[in-house]
């Protein structure tokens, strides 16, 4: 009976105040949810107008919406009269413990944000980074997925990728093909150079600008080496690279020009 009397006394003295606080909290919650929806829709329209990358939009939308919800919850708790100082301290301590436990994951998360923001590459690009090379298939918040030319899937943590140097072979429309061909010292250099220049000039894949070059690069141990450097559209790079190897060999053979290869002479002496 004593507890019941204490409860009645508490409700008589504090009941009105508690009831008003609950009503205020509910009103703040209801109105706040409407404000969150309104701001989220406005943020989505803002992203659409800015033509934000498709891989970045879902992440930004979710992050913005969740931050608004956190602020709303804190506002409701404050309206109910809950002391926020201790509450924030508890959240901070818990956040520190979680951050230490998930240090690597948070680093990958930060790396994902950096990649999605500065855009060093996009889906479909062929890159070299993080110790691997391949075509970008998907950019996630924590990982980036590559596919190698032989169709092996590689998952690279974004933290490692964002801190590494990246070669993006798809960044520019044109690429230079670097080829080296050697001829024998007894062969006609001018004739070999003329053959190479005509092959480059008559290939439709080779661009006129920048101008392709054919030069004597070095006098090697057993060959005179030519640098052949035509410029092509990115899509024609590998087709020209492989095709030229075969065609040069056939043209050299047709014109009596040799391509040296390592040889070793063995002398046998008979001791008497």
């Amino acid at each position: 009976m004593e507890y019941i009397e204490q409860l009645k006394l508490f409700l008589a003295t504090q009941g009105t105040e508690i009831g008003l606080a609950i009503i205020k909290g509910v009103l703040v919650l209801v109105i706040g949810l409407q404000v969150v929806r309104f701001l989220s829709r406005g943020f989505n329209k803002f992203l659409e107008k800015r033509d934000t990358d498709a891989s970045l939009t879902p992440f930004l939308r979710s992050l913005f919406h969740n931050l608004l919800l956190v602020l709303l919850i804190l506002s409701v708790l404050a309206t109910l009269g809950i002391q926020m100082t201790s509450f924030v301290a508890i959240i901070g301590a818990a956040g520190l413990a979680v951050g230490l436990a998930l240090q690597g994951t948070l680093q990958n998360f930060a790396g994902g944000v950096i990649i999605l923001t500065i855009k060093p590459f996009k889906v479909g690009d062929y890159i070299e980074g993080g110790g691997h090379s391949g075509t970008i298939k998907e950019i996630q918040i924590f990982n980036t997925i590559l596919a190698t030319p032989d169709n092996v899937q590689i998952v690279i943590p974004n933290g490692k990728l964002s801190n590494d140097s990246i070669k993006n072979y798809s960044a520019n429309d044109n690429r230079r093909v670097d080829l080296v061909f050697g001829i024998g010292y007894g062969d006609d250099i001018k004739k070999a150079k003329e053959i190479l220049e005509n092959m480059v000039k008559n290939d439709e894949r080779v661009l006129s600008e920048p101008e392709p070059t054919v030069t004597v690069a070095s006098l090697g141990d057993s060959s005179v080496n030519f640098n052949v450097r035509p410029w092509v559209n990115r899509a024609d790079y590998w087709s020209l690279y492989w095709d030229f190897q075969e065609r040069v060999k056939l043209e050299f053979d047709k014109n009596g020009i040799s391509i040296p290869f390592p040889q070793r002479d063995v002398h046998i002496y008979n001791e008497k």
Side-chain angles (χ1 to χ4, degrees):
M1 294 296 294
E2 181 179 355
Y3 293 107
I4 295 177
E5 293 297 328
Q6 291 180 354
L7 179 60
K8 290 180 179 179
L9 179 62
F10 175 77
L11 291 176
T13 56
Q14 304 292 333
T16 303
E17 183 177 350
I18 294 174
L20 289 174
I22 293 175
I23 293 173
K24 289 180 182 179
V26 172
L27 289 175
V28 170
L29 179 62
V30 173
I31 296 173
L33 288 175
Q34 298 299 323
V35 173
V36 168
R37 294 192 187 97
F38 174 78
L39 292 177
S40 296
R41 285 195 294 266
F43 187 68
N44 292 340
K45 292 179 180 179
F46 171 76
L47 293 178
E48 292 175 358
K49 290 180 179 179
R50 294 290 301 272
D51 293 328
T52 307
D53 188 87
S55 57
L56 180 60
T57 300
F59 168 70
L60 291 178
R61 185 190 303 126
S62 176
L63 180 63
F64 182 76
H65 182 75
N66 290 330
L67 286 176
L68 291 177
L69 289 178
V70 170
L71 292 175
L72 176 59
I73 293 173
L74 293 177
S75 299
V76 172
L77 293 176
T79 303
L80 293 175
I82 298 176
Q83 295 295 327
M84 299 304 300
T85 304
S86 58
F87 186 75
V88 170
I90 294 174
I91 293 179
L96 178 61
V98 172
L100 292 175
L102 302 177
Q103 186 175 2
T105 302
L106 293 176
Q107 183 180 4
N108 292 331
F109 174 81
V113 173
I114 293 172
I115 291 173
L116 291 170
T117 302
I118 65 176
K119 301 177 183 177
F121 49 78
K122 62 182 184 300
V123 173
D125 286 354
Y126 188 90
I127 72 162
E128 181 180 331
H132 301 279
S133 60
T135 302
I136 301 293
K137 292 301 181 182
E138 189 174 350
I139 304 173
Q140 301 176 349
I141 293 300
F142 298 104
N143 304 299
T144 294
I145 300 177
L146 305 183
T148 63
D150 56 344
N151 204 30
V152 175
Q153 178 174 291
I154 299 177
V155 180
I156 305 178
N158 285 333
K160 180 179 181 180
L161 195 58
S162 63
N163 290 319
D164 194 13
S165 59
I166 298 173
K167 288 184 179 179
N168 189 341
Y169 295 96
S170 304
N172 299 314
D173 294 332
N174 303 334
R175 286 188 63 187
R176 190 184 73 187
V177 185
D178 291 347
L179 300 164
V180 179
F181 299 102
I183 66 172
Y185 274 95
D187 295 316
D188 190 334
I189 293 180
K190 291 184 178 180
K191 185 178 180 180
K193 184 175 182 180
E194 182 181 355
I195 292 172
L196 293 172
E197 288 177 337
N198 287 334
M199 291 182 65
V200 170
K201 181 180 179 181
N202 296 326
D203 196 306
E204 296 180 352
R205 295 167 295 185
V206 177
L207 303 175
S208 58
E209 290 294 335
E211 185 178 359
T213 59
V214 177
T215 57
V216 176
S218 63
L219 302 178
D221 293 337
S222 59
S223 64
V224 178
N225 298 317
F226 286 90
N227 275 348
V228 180
R229 294 180 173 177
W231 288 81
V232 297
N233 291 321
R234 186 176 67 226
D236 295 327
Y237 179 89
W238 287 112
S239 64
L240 186 137
Y241 182 89
W242 299 120
D243 181 47
F244 237 68
Q245 311 283 342
E246 179 180 354
R247 290 173 56 204
V248 167
K249 176 65 167 65
L250 294 174
E251 286 295 322
F252 279 3
D253 289 347
K254 187 187 301 182
N255 289 274
I257 297 176
S258 63
I259 299 178
F261 54 90
Q263 301 182 57
R264 178 175 296 176
D265 293 333
V266 178
H267 301 271
I268 301 176
Y269 298 94
N270 292 322
E271 295 183 0
K272 294 182 180 181

